């Protein structure tokens, strides 16, 4: 059981490292998701294009040249070869939709893991907001106490 939990935790960590924020959306790029699903990027994109009506812009979008260049400076990419087109970015909803397009057992299992990674990131973000709010409350309270002490000392 411990080994299973350890494997799932490692898997989530690997997936979370492949999730980027672009256009204020958390996304995973086509080549990363195809690697996780163990299919060629070309095959993944062909399946998407055959079912393009299932992928509106809030599910999937193609990166601009500027976005791609900015991202390439953050991730390790091959210096030889290259892509003929800009990568596609899939939002959490797009990843969920991929399960209906790619029907392999591996794709279904990885899809579940990827969705869990998106959920974990969202929950972490909510916890961060809550922590930030609590810190602000403490700061306000502390400042009031220091003002009271300062006034008492001056008196």
């Amino acid at each position: 059981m411990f080994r299973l939990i350890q494997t799932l935790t490692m898997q989530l960590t690997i997936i979370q490292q492949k999730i980027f924020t672009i256009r204020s959306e958390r996304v995973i790029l086509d080549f990363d998701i195809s690697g996780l699903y163990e299919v060629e990027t070309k095959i993944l994109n062909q399946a998407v294009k055959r079912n393009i009506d299932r992928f509106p812009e809030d599910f999937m979008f193609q990166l601009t040249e500027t976005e791609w260049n900015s991202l390439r400076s953050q991730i390790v990419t091959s210096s030889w070869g290259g892509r003929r087109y800009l990568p596609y970015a899939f939002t959490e909803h797009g990843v969920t939709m991929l399960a209906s397009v790619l029907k392999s057992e591996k794709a279904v299992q990885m899809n579940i893991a990827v969705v869990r990674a998106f959920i974990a990131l969202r929950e972490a973000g909510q916890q961060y907001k809550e922590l930030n709010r609590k810190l602000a409350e403490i700061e306000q309270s502390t400042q009031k106490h220091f003002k009271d002490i300062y006034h008492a000392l001056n008196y």
Side-chain angles (χ1 to χ4, degrees), residues 44-152:
L44 179 129
N45 287 332
Q46 285 173 347
V48 169
K49 287 177 184 174
R50 281 194 303 271
N51 297 280
I52 198 67
D53 54 322
R54 295 181 183 209
F55 295 93
E57 258 188 58
D58 58 330
F59 284 30
M60 177 196 81
F61 55 87
Q62 193 167 26
L63 270 58
T64 65
E65 190 75 40
T66 304
E67 290 167 336
W68 176 232
N69 288 335
S70 174
L71 248 182
R72 280 177 45 184
S73 67
Q74 296 175 39
I75 58 177
V76 178
T77 57
S78 173
S79 59
W80 58 273
R83 299 177 64 112
R84 292 183 186 177
Y85 60 91
L86 296 167
Y88 290 96
F90 293 88
T91 65
E92 182 178 350
H93 301 298
V95 170
T96 304
M97 189 57 72
L98 279 172
S100 69
V101 174
L102 300 171
K103 306 229 190 253
S104 76
E105 183 62 31
K106 180 68 175 184
V108 171
Q109 293 305 312
M110 286 309 299
N111 185 278
I112 292 167
V114 170
V115 169
R116 284 184 177 146
F118 273 107
I119 290 168
L121 283 174
R122 187 178 326 112
E123 288 172 355
Q126 288 171 345
Q127 289 174 354
Y128 177 76
K129 286 179 186 175
E130 179 65 18
L131 183 61
N132 229 2
R133 185 187 63 75
K134 287 181 181 180
L135 285 173
E137 286 176 10
I138 291 169
E139 185 179 26
Q140 283 180 338
S141 171
T142 306
Q143 285 177 352
K144 183 182 180 320
H145 291 301
F146 279 128
K147 281 183 184 177
D148 291 345
I149 292 169
Y150 182 73
H151 286 300

Side-chain angles (χ1 to χ4, degrees), residues 17-22 25-27 29 32 71 74-75:
Q17 291 171 351
K18 297 177 182 301
I19 297 174
F20 299 97
T21 302
I22 303 171
E25 292 277 350
R26 286 197 174 118
V27 298
L29 301 177
D32 281 332
L71 248 182
Q74 296 175 39
I75 58 177

Side-chain angles (χ1 to χ4, degrees), residues 2-34:
F2 175 74
R3 209 179 239 336
L4 176 63
I5 293 171
Q6 191 176 24
T7 302
L8 289 174
T9 303
M10 241 174 45
Q11 195 177 46
L12 280 177
T13 302
I14 290 168
I15 294 167
Q16 287 174 341
Q17 291 171 351
K18 297 177 182 301
I19 297 174
F20 299 97
T21 302
I22 303 171
R23 300 181 195 174
S24 300
E25 292 277 350
R26 286 197 174 118
V27 298
I28 188 165
L29 301 177
D30 58 1
F31 57 87
D32 281 332
I33 201 146
S34 66

